[in-house]
Amino acid sequence: MDSTTSSSNETFMYFAYGSNLLSRRIHFQNPTAVRRGTGKLKDYRLDFNTQSRNWNGCSATIVEHEGRHVWGAVWEIDMVNMADLDRQEGVERNLYKALTKDVDTPTGEQITCRVYQKVTNPDENYELEDLPIDRQPSRTYLNCIWKGAEESQLPIEYIDKLKRIPHNNRDANNPTFRELSE
């Protein structure tokens, strides 16, 4: 596909790298989402930098970084849910902005996807396993990412990297989100 919408313009492709890797999570607000595979976003790195009240720790973002990459799930979602996804990501609250990026699939195909990036990106670049406490995600959020990464069948080396990210020893404030890590 060469655009964020399918040929019928009734769906769009979405690249998820955080909690929306997990099908139970994405389906809360986007019931039409169908996982179409995995992909790699080149010249970006995964990072955590802004506290989330619901998650009780920092949530994920992508940051431009030449030579690095982020793996994620590629979802096909009905256009009727685009505004729901934007709301979920806090676009109207200026938390994330929607980008359109090419994602490489394991078969070598390029798919143009909607992807979200925090509006405020970190000034300092830490390796994920060295995140300071004020940049760490909650235990609940990381569990959601880990489960989603396994469910999405991301490369095992990447899942191992995700499992080395430290958490802040807290659980999500939102009870619905806490259920995701069980």
Side-chain angles (χ1 to χ4, degrees):
M1 281 186 195
D2 60 358
S3 72
T4 55
T5 57
S6 69
S7 56
S8 68
N9 287 332
E10 295 176 0
T11 63
F12 66 98
M13 304 306 282
Y14 163 57
F15 179 76
Y17 56 84
S19 63
N20 279 337
L21 287 166
L22 187 64
S23 58
R24 284 178 55 204
R25 168 65 180 118
I26 194 168
H27 287 139
F28 282 165
Q29 286 129 326
N30 303 283
T32 64
V34 176
R35 189 184 347 256
R36 294 297 184 204
T38 62
K40 179 169 61 173
L41 179 63
K42 291 182 180 176
D43 295 325
Y44 280 84
R45 65 180 162 80
L46 186 66
D47 207 331
F48 299 82
N49 71 314
T50 305
Q51 293 288 323
S52 163
R53 278 190 309 261
N54 281 332
W55 286 110
N56 202 16
C58 285
S59 53
T61 189
I62 52 171
V63 179
E64 292 87 353
H65 194 125
E66 190 173 339
R68 301 280 288 270
H69 64 270
V70 176
W71 279 96
V74 176
W75 295 94
E76 185 173 6
I77 303 175
D78 285 357
M79 289 299 292
V80 297
N81 287 129
M82 186 180 281
D84 299 325
L85 187 59
D86 283 353
R87 256 189 311 283
Q88 176 189 333
E89 297 298 334
V91 172
E92 77 285 348
R93 295 187 324 264
N94 209 30
L95 299 175
Y96 282 87
K97 59 186 173 186
L99 306 174
T100 302
K101 294 291 175 183
D102 289 333
V103 172
D104 295 335
T105 69
T107 61
E109 180 185 9
Q110 271 199 339
I111 300 174
T112 302
C113 294
R114 188 175 191 84
V115 62
Y116 294 87
Q117 180 185 45
K118 292 270 181 144
V119 171
T120 308
N121 283 312
D123 294 327
E124 298 178 75
N125 175 13
Y126 291 96
E127 291 301 317
L128 288 175
E129 59 269 10
D130 297 326
L131 285 174
I133 189 72
D134 64 323
R135 299 250 309 259
Q136 292 176 7
S138 68
R139 175 178 32 239
T140 309
Y141 189 72
L142 269 184
N143 282 340
C144 187
I145 291 174
W146 296 337
K147 284 182 171 186
E150 289 172 350
E151 181 185 279
S152 300
Q153 300 180 340
L154 298 186
I156 191 69
E157 304 82 26
Y158 191 77
I159 294 172
D160 289 344
K161 180 180 175 180
L162 293 174
K163 289 190 173 182
R164 290 193 300 272
I165 299 170
H167 58 73
N168 63 14
N169 286 315
R170 296 192 304 243
D171 290 315
N173 289 323
N174 183 319
T176 304
F177 290 176
R178 281 196 306 267
E179 289 175 16
L180 292 172
S181 69
E182 297 172 353

